[in-house]
Amino acid sequence: MSVRPNITLLGSTGSIGQNTLDVLSRHDSHRVFALTACSDHERMREQCAMWQPEYAVMVDPDAARRLEASLTTVAPRTRVLSGQDALLRVAVDPAVDSVMAAIVGAAGLPATLAAARHGKKVLLANKEALIMAGPLFMAAVRDCGAVLLPIDSEHNAVFQCLPDNNRLPGRIEPSREVRRIVLTASGGPFLDLPAEQLPAVTVAEACRHPNWSMGQKISVDSATMMNKGLELIEACYLFALPPHQVDVLIHPQSTVHSLVEYCDGSMLAQLGSPDMRVPIAHALAWPGRQPSGADFLDLVRAGDLQFREPDPVQFPCLRLGREAARAGPAAIIRLNAANEVAVEAFLAGAIGFMEIPAIIESVLHGPESAADDPVRELEDVLAIDRLARAQARELSGIAGRS
Ligand code: NAD
Ligand code: MG
């Protein structure tokens, strides 16, 4: 009898976490070793009752206490841990084979990087973790024998379209056969909104994505198109490409998830329903395939597939992402930190939608940007991140809040 691999889900109560459990529930392929979340102890209780993991981590200690009290009848053997250190512990436990990295934002970096350093199979949705620590992260994957599989739908699509002999992130050599990759972007909810109306859009409008159902932060990132800026950087690290070999095209139907263009003029694309269970199922079963639960794509009903250039006035965040990608790791860390703070401020009603790119631009071009900060250790990453967050909080008018 084959032994099922153990998987830890970092961020199990979120959109990617729930989709991952949905795929896992369709197969008897993995044993859920640990589930982690920030504070949603009620959803965590349901997940523990269903999956009976060894560990459940609530980062928030109060939520951990409530969870522990509620598990006595439904999951008495699940041990409840709390705090940031507990995330690391369940990511690197020797019993763990695979880690789904699905925490949102910088909070996921330490545990995701630690999983790579312990040679785990890392299924990466948490793009902020990779782009903040790109060179460190990719070196960890290469040197520690980790397997890194992209969950972000565009990067999973590129991964599926790359040549077979040269495909695992961390081990990809620059290839003259690949001319460029093209990331597709839906354009989000404001694709055709007149630019003068953008400053007044509401949080609810920004979070209403036309094709995908996602967590709040990535929904706002999609509306500003900073998501594509972050994804451009993610692609450079994953596929060892310079920024000028990564293009972005608007494709409102979200049917073609991305493309690889080869030197002979061939373009390979991956198509599918806009459902994150497709890339999740792909990564869980890799190098095989398994059903995902997603609808099969009906090309006749899908209708016309359209492509167009992104408008730099409508989407300044995409330009800022490309600028940071060219400038290097310290600029990328500042871009990401400023974006996380600005999005949080927008969601809290403290700033308007178009202040998001303005704040990011100020932090990116601020006095600190002249410094050629070394980025050799996680501590270097976190120091640049802290400073940029403080600047962005000041600019957002939320400096006093934690
Ligand atoms: P979400 O907000 O729905 O879920 C986030 C999860 O992280 C939750 O389980 C939450 O408890 C946990 N979390 C939040 N803050 C935390 C903290 N400080 N410490 C520990 N845990 C914390 O987010 P999501 O939409 O599932 O996105 C997760 C990641 O995947 C993001 O990086 C996002 O960019 C990426 N991603 C998401 C999608 C999607 O369709 N949702 C697609 C591609 C990539
Ligand atoms: Mg994506």
Side-chain angles (χ1 to χ4, degrees):
M1 198 184 85
S2 66
V3 181
R4 291 180 304 161
N6 278 326
I7 187 166
T8 283
L9 268 68
L10 301 173
S12 66
T13 58
S15 164
I16 293 288
Q18 292 179 60
N19 276 309
T20 304
L21 289 174
D22 182 280
V23 174
L24 288 171
S25 72
R26 293 162 193 277
H27 309 278
D28 198 21
S29 58
H30 290 73
R31 179 165 161 267
V32 174
F33 178 80
L35 298 173
T36 87
C38 188
S39 55
D40 185 352
H41 57 90
E42 283 168 3
R43 193 178 294 276
M44 180 60 94
R45 177 183 187 272
E46 285 166 28
Q47 293 184 341
C48 288
M50 164 118 183
W51 292 94
Q52 303 288 320
E54 284 302 291
Y55 294 100
V57 177
M58 300 300 310
V59 173
D60 175 45
D62 194 44
R65 274 189 291 276
R66 285 165 192 255
L67 178 70
E68 195 159 26
S70 74
L71 287 189
T72 45
T73 48
V74 294
R77 278 189 299 278
T78 297
R79 277 170 279 179
V80 178
L81 306 175
S82 103
Q84 289 287 340
D85 291 350
L87 294 177
L88 244 83
R89 180 169 160 191
V90 298
V92 307
D93 191 292
V96 171
D97 303 288
S98 299
V99 174
M100 166 58 82
I103 290 174
V104 59
L109 171 57
T112 307
L113 180 60
R117 286 184 168 161
H118 281 74
K120 305 297 186 194
K121 179 173 172 183
V122 180
L123 285 62
L124 184 84
N126 184 194
K127 64 192 86 182
E128 299 92 344
L130 171 66
I131 73 156
M132 282 176 76
L136 289 178
F137 201 99
M138 297 312 291
V141 170
R142 202 173 41 243
D143 300 342
C144 306
V147 170
L148 180 59
L149 297 171
I151 295 295
D152 215 345
S153 56
E154 297 76 4
H155 306 75
N156 184 273
V158 169
F159 179 61
Q160 293 194 45
C161 297
L162 282 176
D164 259 356
N165 54 359
N166 187 15
R167 58 189 322 222
L168 263 178
R171 295 170 189 89
I172 294 175
E173 300 289 334
S175 155
R176 265 183 270 161
E177 292 180 4
V178 173
R179 183 166 176 267
R180 61 174 182 143
I181 63 176
V182 180
L183 303 178
T184 53
S186 68
F190 306 137
L191 178 58
D192 294 315
L193 194 75
E196 63 275 13
Q197 291 182 26
L198 284 171
V201 299
T202 65
V203 168
E205 287 164 341
C207 289
R208 206 177 299 135
H209 197 278
N211 306 338
W212 299 91
S213 154
M214 310 182 285
Q216 275 200 316
K217 193 256 174 183
I218 185 175
S219 296
V220 177
D221 284 348
S222 299
T224 61
M225 272 192 85
M226 180 50 88
N227 186 45
K228 221 44 62 174
L230 301 178
E231 289 186 355
L232 186 158
I233 299 163
E234 183 183 9
C236 293
Y237 284 136
L238 286 174
F239 306 121
L241 288 171
H244 70 264
Q245 279 181 284
V246 183
D247 280 339
V248 171
L249 279 184
I250 303 270
H251 168 51
Q253 293 78 20
S254 297
T255 299
V256 175
H257 296 305
S258 280
L259 309 96
V260 177
E261 184 174 61
Y262 287 87
C263 59
D264 59 5
S266 297
M267 274 187 138
L268 300 194
Q270 186 259 353
L271 285 72
S273 301
D275 185 325
M276 287 307 293
R277 290 176 300 176
V278 176
I280 291 169
H282 172 262
L284 284 171
W286 184 87
R289 299 261 178 187
Q290 65 183 1
S292 66
D295 289 341
F296 289 96
L297 186 62
D298 181 335
L299 282 173
V300 175
R301 287 180 58 191
D304 287 346
L305 301 182
Q306 297 155 337
F307 299 91
R308 53 174 136 143
E309 295 279 357
D311 175 347
V313 177
Q314 193 91 343
F315 300 114
C317 284
L318 185 55
R319 167 178 60 80
L320 295 172
R322 193 171 282 284
E323 209 178 286
R326 279 201 216 102
I332 292 169
I333 298 166
R334 277 195 279 276
L335 173 96
N336 179 67
N339 181 55
E340 283 193 28
V341 171
V343 170
E344 202 183 298
F346 172 69
L347 288 171
I351 62 168
F353 185 72
M354 289 312 281
E355 285 175 83
I356 298 174
I359 288 167
I360 298 166
E361 182 141 32
S362 297
V363 172
L364 203 56
H365 296 159
E368 289 300 323
S369 65
D372 186 17
D373 310 270
V375 186
R376 283 187 284 268
E377 299 295 335
L378 182 56
E379 277 318 308
D380 302 330
V381 173
L382 299 178
I384 301 168
D385 176 79
R386 262 194 305 273
L387 196 57
R389 273 172 205 269
Q391 291 168 350
R393 277 202 199 94
E394 196 75 45
L395 291 162
S396 311
I398 55 168
R401 305 186 206 171
S402 65

